[in-house]
Amino acid sequence: EEEQVKEGDVTYTVKRTKLELKNREGMPLNDLFEVRVTAEWLEGSVMQQATAETWVYPPLFHLPGT
């Protein structure tokens, strides 16, 4: 899943990929994603780019009652 967000002169591309991992017992670890964000912008006449990536477990951020 990929989406682009533009903020000012910077374009962010956010790519989310489901991870297919298992624990030591061979059980699947569900709901884990790799998230990669790439920022692109023009500095003078030179295109610049920076990328960051991490793993995310969305249920960790689920607030009770929502």
Side-chain angles (χ1 to χ4, degrees), residues 14-19 21 29-37 53-61:
V14 181
K15 183 175 182 181
R16 185 177 82 165
T17 306
K18 186 168 177 51
L19 295 171
L21 300 175
L29 298 172
N30 296 317
D31 300 324
L32 279 171
F33 295 88
E34 177 188 63
V35 177
R36 180 179 305 203
V37 179
E53 65 181 73
T54 190
W55 289 6
V56 176
Y57 180 64
L60 181 65
F61 301 102

Side-chain angles (χ1 to χ4, degrees), residues 1-65:
E1 175 179 324
E2 185 174 303
E3 72 176 273
Q4 284 195 334
V5 177
K6 187 157 178 74
E7 185 174 297
D9 294 334
V10 181
T11 299
Y12 298 94
T13 302
V14 181
K15 183 175 182 181
R16 185 177 82 165
T17 306
K18 186 168 177 51
L19 295 171
E20 302 291 336
L21 300 175
K22 294 182 180 180
N23 65 14
R24 292 181 184 171
E25 289 78 35
M27 300 296 294
L29 298 172
N30 296 317
D31 300 324
L32 279 171
F33 295 88
E34 177 188 63
V35 177
R36 180 179 305 203
V37 179
T38 302
E40 294 181 315
W41 68 97
L42 202 57
E43 199 165 295
S45 62
V46 179
M47 182 59 78
Q48 302 292 318
Q49 185 181 72
T51 300
E53 65 181 73
T54 190
W55 289 6
V56 176
Y57 180 64
L60 181 65
F61 301 102
H62 179 76
L63 299 174

